[in-house]
Amino acid sequence: MKKAERTRQLIIEKAAPIINQKGMAGTAISDIMKATKLAKGGIYGNFEDKDEICREVFSYLFKGLTAKIDNALINKRTAKEKLFALLDYHCDHLALSEVGGCPMLNFGAEADDNDVIIKKQVNDAIRASQFRISELVEDGMKAGEFNITTSAQEFGIKAFAVMEGGILISRIQGNNQQMKIIIDALKIEIIQFSN
């Protein structure tokens, strides 16, 4: 990796938790300068503007989230075990994360009316997250593990939506008690369509 690429990566990594916590509008370039120990020219020598930093930060955060979920599922054998591990990850790690919670929720809420590029990035991430859940249900159906009466796609959409709502509630209330209720309800539903 060249020096310019390393500097760019450093800026993204240091800016990520700040922007995820303070928001795109709430994060000043001076916040990023302080975290990276770079002058304004060092920041703008690597990025066109703060919007570009935010786009790169969202990609970085979502890739990191995907990798962490992959890691949580890697040793699980059945579709049911993988779904439970995915649900537990959202409850135990995202709901009260010290680095701002779910980037899809944070960036999406801010970008929905004013940033079409990040809005598309978040939409793609949401679709990928819903697809992951749906695909696990389909894998379970193919393996004869699940006998589901609704479509796997519908379950993926519903599970993702209620988990994101649970994350929001957890972050506002400062605890994941309601998130645990949501996760338990989803687990009961999965148990009900298990053979």
Side-chain angles (χ1 to χ4, degrees):
M1 194 182 272
K2 295 178 183 177
K3 184 180 178 190
E5 292 170 335
R6 286 194 308 269
T7 303
R8 188 175 168 89
Q9 189 61 32
L10 170 81
I11 294 166
I12 293 167
E13 290 173 7
K14 295 290 186 179
I18 298 167
I19 296 172
N20 201 39
Q21 288 176 313
K22 294 179 81 172
M24 294 181 287
T27 301
I29 289 298
S30 60
D31 295 324
I32 299 170
M33 289 167 54
K34 183 178 177 184
T36 59
K37 298 178 179 37
L38 293 171
K40 191 180 279 191
I43 304 290
Y44 286 123
N46 289 281
F47 293 93
E48 182 179 313
D49 54 23
K50 191 174 86 170
D51 291 342
E52 183 184 5
I53 296 170
C54 291
R55 290 191 295 270
E56 293 296 324
V57 161
F58 178 78
S59 292
Y60 169 79
L61 288 169
F62 184 66
K63 284 177 190 170
L65 173 60
T66 300
K68 288 174 185 170
I69 293 172
D70 288 345
N71 191 48
L73 275 56
I74 199 162
N75 293 322
K76 307 303 179 196
R77 290 185 3 254
T78 67
K80 179 181 170 185
E81 288 174 351
K82 290 178 183 180
L83 282 168
F84 276 29
L86 185 144
L87 296 173
D88 289 338
Y89 183 86
H90 281 75
C91 184
D92 299 338
H93 299 285
L94 272 182
L96 296 175
S97 166
E98 292 179 9
V99 291
C102 181
M104 290 177 281
L105 186 61
N106 296 339
F107 282 72
E110 199 168 350
D112 71 339
D113 291 324
N114 59 19
D115 192 318
V116 294
I117 297 170
I118 290 181
K119 182 177 180 179
K120 183 186 180 320
Q121 283 180 280
V122 173
N123 188 46
D124 291 346
I126 289 169
R127 289 179 186 270
S129 300
Q130 292 170 335
F131 178 76
R132 178 198 288 264
I133 298 166
S134 299
E135 190 174 42
L136 288 171
V137 172
E138 287 175 2
D139 290 347
M141 292 168 70
K142 289 175 190 169
E145 189 180 344
F146 296 148
N147 183 13
I148 185 169
T149 54
T150 61
S151 77
Q153 182 182 14
E154 286 177 16
F155 181 79
I157 291 168
K158 176 176 66 177
F160 177 81
V162 297
M163 284 191 298
E164 288 294 301
I167 291 169
L168 174 63
I169 293 166
S170 296
R171 298 205 57 80
I172 296 296
Q173 294 183 345
N175 66 66
N176 65 354
Q177 292 172 357
Q178 290 189 28
M179 181 66 162
K180 287 179 181 179
I181 293 168
I182 289 166
I183 296 303
D184 287 346
L186 288 170
K187 286 181 177 180
I188 288 167
E189 187 170 350
I190 292 165
I191 289 166
Q192 288 173 343
F193 59 68
S194 297
N195 286 329

